[in-house]
Amino acid sequence: MINLLKAEVIRQTGRRGSFFGSLAVALLISVIILIWVLTTSSSPSGSEILNNSAGLLGAVVVICSVVIGAIAGAYDVDQGTMRYLVLTGQARWKLVAVRYLGFFCTLVLFSLPALALAALIALVFGDASTPVAPGDPEGFSAFWQMFYMVWVGGALYGLLALSIGTFLKSNGVAIAVAIVLNFAGVLAAALIWEYVSHTAGDLFYPILVGAAVTREAQTAGPDTNASALSLATSIGVLGIWIVALVGAAVARVQRAEY
């Protein structure tokens, strides 16, 4: 399994367009943050820099993760190499499992330089005398939250895209569908929340991911008086989503003929 994982990570990181492109885009965001810090008339605190970095890098890493995950799921079948992997005698569930594990490693590798640069900017240029906004994390908590939000958001959306890629078996189609679902999913959840059921809207994958990333209960609708799922319930339902997605991907590969 370790050898399979190593080979999968090398393969995913060796796709220059997706991996190095994602690394470069993430680094560019950190450079933009540096330019903002150097040119702003105010003196942002380290926590403000880290909180802004978490939001910007989180959005970019999610998009990059969708692309990398969709390609990881569809690449072998799209390129006609899946039959050779099956002929090696490795269990098919292992071939699927290493895709997910390899993706999580790839996510860390392409995002870590940008996160490290953002953390360095906060340490060097953060003004300790600037008060932190109420409710915002400070010190180590701000560093931890930045890494947590970026990696958890990227991992969960990448997992969804990888599962879609495994089903659709086409790189381009998988990327297009995964991106549309990610962005349209929130809108669909809001429509269901408004016109069908509040609970059904709150059960949509993007809403549950938002709860996991922010560690706060989320609602798909605009009415703040409406009861959302509790955080514990949201995490539990998200776990069911993950099991269903991964299980469906494994079943797809187990039943397919190559």
Side-chain angles (χ1 to χ4, degrees):
M1 188 70 170
I2 294 177
N3 290 333
L4 281 175
L5 177 59
K6 179 180 178 181
E8 181 65 24
V9 172
I10 292 174
R11 186 165 58 158
Q12 290 188 25
T13 56
R15 294 170 186 146
R16 297 181 179 180
S18 59
F19 177 77
F20 289 105
S22 298
L23 189 151
V25 171
L27 273 175
L28 177 61
I29 295 301
S30 291
V31 172
I32 292 174
I33 293 170
L34 175 60
I35 294 173
W36 163 68
V37 171
L38 294 176
T39 58
T40 184
S41 57
S42 60
S43 298
S45 65
S47 295
E48 183 181 357
I49 295 171
L50 292 171
N51 293 334
N52 289 341
S53 298
L56 291 172
L57 287 174
V60 169
V61 168
V62 162
I63 296 174
C64 294
S65 295
V66 166
V67 174
I68 292 175
I71 292 176
Y75 187 85
D76 290 317
V77 178
D78 190 55
Q79 300 298 314
T81 56
M82 189 63 183
R83 62 174 63 91
Y84 302 111
L85 295 176
V86 172
L87 288 174
T88 62
Q90 293 288 346
R92 294 191 180 193
W93 69 266
K94 287 186 178 180
L95 298 177
V96 179
V98 295
R99 291 179 184 177
Y100 288 98
L101 295 176
F103 164 74
F104 297 141
C105 294
T106 302
L107 164 63
V108 172
L109 290 173
F110 87 74
S111 61
L112 185 58
L115 287 167
L117 178 56
L120 182 62
I121 294 169
L123 284 171
V124 174
F125 298 102
D127 191 342
S129 64
T130 301
V132 179
D136 284 349
E138 302 181 58
F140 175 79
S141 295
F143 285 95
W144 182 85
Q145 176 166 285
M146 180 182 69
F147 282 87
Y148 171 86
M149 292 181 67
V150 171
W151 280 343
V152 170
L156 291 174
Y157 277 108
L159 182 147
L160 174 64
L162 200 158
S163 300
I164 292 173
T166 303
F167 266 93
L168 298 183
K169 301 181 179 182
S170 172
N171 291 337
V173 175
I175 292 172
V177 171
I179 289 178
V180 169
L181 284 178
N182 286 337
F183 286 100
V186 176
L187 176 60
L191 292 175
I192 291 175
W193 189 94
E194 182 70 24
Y195 297 108
V196 181
S197 166
H198 291 184
T199 301
D202 292 338
L203 291 174
F204 253 55
Y205 192 82
I207 307 304
L208 300 173
V209 171
V213 171
T214 62
R215 302 189 301 282
E216 296 178 354
Q218 302 287 300
T219 178
D223 186 1
T224 56
N225 294 321
S227 60
L229 301 174
S230 69
L231 179 59
T233 302
S234 297
I235 298 300
V237 176
L238 179 61
I240 296 174
W241 268 97
I242 292 172
V243 171
L245 288 169
V246 176
V250 172
R252 175 70 162 171
V253 174
Q254 287 288 121
R255 295 171 176 269
E257 295 183 4
Y258 299 103

